[in-house]
Amino acid sequence: MTLTEVSSVEGETGDFKVTLIKHPRYILEDKCTGCGTCVKYCPVEYPDPFNQAISANKAVHVYFSQAIPLVSYIDDSCLFLKEKKCGICETVCQADAIDFRQKTEKMEVSVGAIILSSGIKPFDPKVKPEYGYGKYPNVVTSMDFERLLSSTGPYSGEVLRASDKKHPRNIAWIQCVGSRRVTEGENSYCSGVCCTYTQKQVILTKDHEPDTTCTIFHNDIRAFGKDFERYFQRTEDLPGVQFIRSYASIAGENPENHNVRVRYATADEGVKEEEFDMVVLSVGLNPPANNKQLAEIFGIQLNNHGFNLTDHTNPIATSRKGIYVSGAFQGPTDIPESVFTASGAGSQVGTQLDRRRGKLAKERIYPPERDVSQEEPRIGVFVCHCGANISSVVNVPSAVEYAMSLPNVVYAQEQLFSCATNSAQEITDLAQEKGLNRVVIAACSPRTLEPLFRDTLREAGLNQYYLDMANIREHCSWVHSKQKEEATKKAKDIIRMSVARAGKLQPLQEFDLPVNKAALVVGGGIAGMTCALSIAEQGHPVHLVERSKDLGGMARRIHTTIEGMDVETYVDNLIRKIYQHPSIYVLHDATIIDVAGYVGNFVTTVESERGTTQIKHGASVIAIGADVYEPTEYLYGQDERVVTHLELSEQIAADDEKVASAQSVVMIQCVGCRNEDRNYCSRVCCSHAIKNALKLKAINPDMDIDILFRDMRTYGLREDYYREASDKGVRFIRYEPSDPPQVETGTSEEDGREVIKVTVADQILGQGLELDADILSLAAAVVPAKTTEEIAGLFKVTLSPDGFYKEAHVKLRPVEFATDGVFLCGTAHYPKHIQESINQAYGAAGRVLTLLSKDTVVASGAVCEVNDNDCVSCGACITACTYDAISFRETPLGRKAWVNPVLCKGDGVCNAKCPTNAIVLKHFTNDELCSQIDAAVTAEEIIKQIEEAAV
């Protein structure tokens, strides 16, 4: 329901009455064809809000190229609406879709639960004139720059200056605009995403114009997310890119060329001023623009920053029962967190409304499948621009023209985004209209969008396996971005090969498999227990497997969070709920011996205190947590005064006398990570250090506390605690990894007591400091659990380069594995705070319930099959198959290999190993692949090579 807003909410959980106000579109959605004729003839132009008002749009338009629904609307700038003049659009619309009689509608809906996913609003730097935004044309925001980089942006993907429409060759980014500042109109918190999106913009800028110089002015680089540290290093290593650690300000504009002057300070050269062609303000994230109105309408409370007031034991809940929150309304949030909090909110709503599950569902009906197996191939080719991902390198119109010249191709066209709703519908319609019986999509990786395009064929009445995808993005434009002519030639080669294969494709049938309604959760920490409870509360049996004697995991060693959550009490309550729930079965001292089966029907063998147990279940969740690195540096293990942050927090909670009497404490960050061995940030350590420092200051306000750090990564709302610690006298000293702190035992020159001496080079003072410490606390890295590799092998899932579990898609599928039916959550995925683990646990439960709520799942038709006549029973295929899908069975021809199609993943390893070619991999047959290989080189190229060889 677009163009619709909530005006009031009454009632209580399970029975809300919501009043909606639907604003008129002035266009009939069921009649509009999206032809764009009305847009072409509309005489009114005004700044386009979607393109940040950089370019103009019409009073009637589609808001953006992939809008849902992809239907125009008429806004308030329309002359007819304002003055009853014009009406040209109504005259030219042949579909009679314009309707100026539409009025605002008021309606009421009854719902059992509500999810608020109202997102955020970028900070507007116009509220602070010193940024020069709106005053100097070449000062832009990061949102402006996003639109400049986009192929659907104001200049079709070209980055141009507003002042002269020239390409900027020297661009500066200024970080923390509107964030991490206590000045009026700005936000004290860290927006979390700005450092990384700036790095993305720098990489894309260098892809657009490799000779552009990029300078990033920053305070801390907060690369705390999964693989973010490597991403930062990749950006930093690009030629012509420099990161300068300094607060910078706009000093003015050069009136002759409209270049922007930036003033900044350096530790060694003092204050400097430099001129740039363009300056990008990396703006932070504000709460939704109407957050106070939202709070009033829905009856919820906000925190002092304007986001939802979070219950730390359940960050998805609001202060009003039955109303939940997901995404950035919790606080500044990146895409993966937004995705799994959305899934988590769905899971919590499912708990509340489980009795209604399936009552309103309707089965999707596809048209009857046409048998085209005896027809001559009639192939349609659709070449995608993928925004600028493909078209900025590959000449798409030329590729389309070439496709039309290929054998059996009867139709070809280009599309801006083939995956867009309207484009997919266009493929379906054209397949029917043109009589296509094979379709080639020249676009991105089939791993991402093949299911979508297969669905378009089913909508057209074709077997879905008559689809082939030519990957001209990952295999062409992305890897040949500097060789545009050669990339276009290669794209044509890939399309030609794909067309050749498409002509040989055969129809295949998928089949349904029953789903066992139980779940297995591996790991009894906070994430595992939260996930197990969410699944069980929706009526599914859950087997919770824990390798130790007690539930609780690492949280047993954590007493409070930086926000003040009582972890000990929370964990005890969670454990009690687990044991009291009739549908949760707990196994302690458990070791998983074997995992067999497939999505919907797994059999896991577990050895535990109860002996050997076989558990049958439909889905698996891996939540085995993580371990803490045991330092080998800084005298750890040699001197009892050297502890980890976790051990220090335990001593504080236990009122240890040594801690209470300490005069000085030194903390060293990034111990065991952000190095060659572990090239990642452990994410939680900076906040843990701040928490301990504030606890120590509460015990003894006069205690000297020094935190030695590389980048303080108290992202999000935790930034306020960083500032509080500084205000209370905690000293923060930055060190460089090339010159780390040095530690030795010694005697205090002040009073002669035995201390640990820590020497560190202060970057600001430009000299070394010697600190006396009664306690040295080390921020020991979070490392993968010892059983991570073993569990990965059993469940046939993969690991990231850092040894944590690798999700199916880092942004879009952050709680799923590529292995169907297996999910993950908690620190097994990557280091994270307790609230983040809870969010992800609910998110994993939501995905599990999506599977378990079905009676059947669909198995692929692209599986292997054995020709008994050619099988010599050598067993090579059985040895090669990692999915245990192949076994011997007795046939009239004797003992032969047999492939269980349910277990087969279609990877083709057995097919390659078979010495007699007895195994055929459907959808990748020899005939199909050989035709593709034969098409790799054209006849003209072969003749040319022969002639050159002869010469």
Side-chain angles (χ1 to χ4, degrees), residues 183 233 268 281 338 357 404 413 421 486 764 850 873 947:
T183 51
Q233 291 167 357
D268 50 354
L281 305 176
S338 293
R357 191 183 303 279
M404 276 302 298
Q413 77 166 59
T421 305
E486 292 89 341
I764 303 300
T850 301
S873 305
E947 289 174 346

Side-chain angles (χ1 to χ4, degrees), residues 138 155 158-169 257 277-278:
N138 297 322
Y155 308 127
E158 285 194 85
V159 177
L160 303 177
R161 302 193 334 154
S163 62
D164 52 19
K165 302 300 184 289
K166 291 182 179 179
H167 292 280
R169 300 300 180 187
N257 55 16
D277 297 343
M278 178 183 281

Side-chain angles (χ1 to χ4, degrees), residues 380-384 411 413 415 418 427 430 436 439-443:
V381 179
F382 298 87
V383 185
C384 181
Y411 184 79
Q413 77 166 59
Q415 294 178 315
S418 293
I427 294 169
L430 285 167
L436 307 180
V439 172
V440 170
I441 309 289

